[in-house]
Amino acid sequence: MYWYNGELIESEIIQLPINEPGLLFGATIFTTLRVYHNSLESRLTHWEAHQKRLVDSIQKLDFQQPNWQNIRRGASILINHYPILRITLFPDGKEWITGRLIPDNLTEKQKYGVNVTIAKTEQYRSLPFHKTGNYLAAWLAKNQALKQNIQQNTQEAILTDSGGNWLETTTGNLWGWRDRCWFTPPLTAGILPGIMREQLINWLRTQQYQVKEEPFTPELVKKFVAIAYSNCVVEILPIHQVIHPTGKLQYDNQHYCFKELQRYLLA
């Protein structure tokens, strides 16, 4: 079941023109949101923030404005079946909304953390300030991490720049903790301005926590006591080990700082 161009369609197949730029070039923009309390109006759903991000990308990438009433109507129908929605927009303004369930093992990952690898330098997201359909590099990096899962239990990958600085995971923004301060890479590093990232920064600062936006250099990441990544689906996920080609970095996945960060979800 999905919503496409103003219609609810009960099928696992979508029909697109063979010259559709989204099909040929990945020329789409999208946002993925988690619906709390079965409501688009919930504080944690961040419906307006997701819409604003889409509008910003539409304007900067010169896409046609979609029918926002159709998008709202489609999302309102699908939230009765799925807690996670992905809203995709095509250059001509057509909307495509799909849904999925929360992963069964998410609670366990939130409690015990995950292991991640470092992606190859050439695997970086195209147009990093926007969520575009051209996600091949991130998809490859995550798939390679999953293929190592049997030997090293890796489930995610961290993208880096040419200097070896950590940027973001294939699906979320990075966080590091040391000296009673949260760190996250700056947007100027070339990362996605994640909605959960923005909300957490604002909340932490209103709660008088220190937050620094600094590049995650090879030197800085070794000084962190705990690290995590965030997005609107997984919320806040601790990282237990980062596996390099030449070794491992191990972090405290049970650190008390995560309980402080998770207070945002309970406020």
Side-chain angles (χ1 to χ4, degrees):
M1 178 186 298
Y2 61 90
W3 178 273
Y4 176 64
N5 195 26
E7 293 184 41
L8 182 67
I9 300 173
E10 297 193 29
S11 173
E12 294 185 356
I13 297 173
I14 187 171
Q15 293 185 343
L16 297 173
I18 59 173
N19 61 349
E20 165 58 55
L23 178 64
L24 295 176
F25 309 112
T28 63
I29 55 176
F30 74 95
T31 192
T32 304
L33 58 97
R34 179 170 171 175
V35 181
Y36 290 79
H37 312 300
N38 199 41
S39 172
L40 297 178
E41 306 300 334
S42 171
R43 174 184 69 88
L44 294 174
T45 300
H46 303 307
W47 174 261
E48 291 184 359
H50 284 279
Q51 183 174 348
K52 181 181 181 301
R53 179 162 68 184
L54 289 172
V55 169
D56 288 346
S57 292
I58 287 168
Q59 294 172 344
K60 290 172 183 174
L61 302 180
D62 199 25
F63 278 33
Q64 184 174 321
Q65 284 287 343
N67 185 320
W68 291 106
Q69 288 185 334
N70 276 348
I71 293 173
R72 178 79 184 215
R73 188 154 58 95
S76 297
I77 291 172
L78 289 179
I79 63 174
N80 295 310
H81 305 275
Y82 306 105
I84 299 169
L85 301 182
R86 171 174 163 146
I87 301 172
T88 303
L89 302 180
F90 293 90
D92 62 2
K94 289 187 177 69
E95 79 282 356
W96 174 31
I97 309 175
T98 56
R100 67 178 190 263
L101 303 178
I102 295 172
D104 292 335
N105 59 353
L106 179 56
T107 301
E108 182 179 357
K109 288 181 178 179
Q110 290 170 332
K111 183 176 181 180
Y112 297 108
V114 296
N115 293 342
V116 305
T117 62
I118 299 295
K120 299 176 182 177
T121 304
E122 64 267 22
Q123 292 175 331
Y124 57 90
R125 289 197 309 107
S126 171
L127 299 172
F129 292 109
H130 306 278
K131 289 180 75 73
T132 73
N134 186 358
Y135 244 65
L136 178 59
W139 182 83
L140 287 172
K142 183 160 187 176
N143 270 13
Q144 288 164 3
L146 292 173
K147 286 179 182 178
Q148 298 178 35
N149 186 44
I150 297 176
Q151 293 83 17
Q152 299 173 317
N153 195 30
T154 53
Q155 297 163 30
E156 250 292 359
I158 292 175
L159 307 178
T160 65
D161 64 16
S162 58
N165 300 315
W166 296 1
L167 299 176
E168 56 193 343
T169 72
T170 66
T171 59
N173 294 112
L174 286 168
W175 296 87
W177 170 269
R178 65 181 287 254
D179 299 332
R180 300 199 60 79
C181 178
W182 281 106
F183 292 75
T184 189
L187 298 182
T188 53
I191 64 170
L192 180 73
I195 289 171
M196 181 62 76
R197 174 187 181 275
E198 179 184 8
Q199 299 296 328
L200 285 173
I201 288 175
N202 292 339
W203 181 82
L204 285 167
R205 286 175 175 163
T206 62
Q207 299 297 310
Q208 308 304 312
Y209 288 103
Q210 273 194 299
V211 183
K212 294 183 180 180
E213 297 179 66
E214 294 185 8
F216 274 30
T217 64
E219 295 76 28
L220 179 60
V221 297
K222 293 177 183 177
K223 298 176 182 178
F224 290 141
V225 176
I227 63 171
Y229 75 93
S230 67
N231 64 41
C232 288
V233 173
V234 305
E235 300 173 336
I236 304 145
L237 211 60
I239 294 174
H240 184 45
Q241 290 186 104
V242 178
I243 300 171
H244 292 257
T246 57
K248 299 178 182 179
L249 290 174
Q250 192 151 331
Y251 300 93
D252 184 356
N253 58 318
Q254 300 290 314
H255 198 273
Y256 72 86
C257 67
F258 294 122
K259 291 183 180 179
E260 293 183 351
L261 201 60
Q262 288 161 352
R263 283 178 51 211
Y264 164 75
L265 300 166
L266 304 173

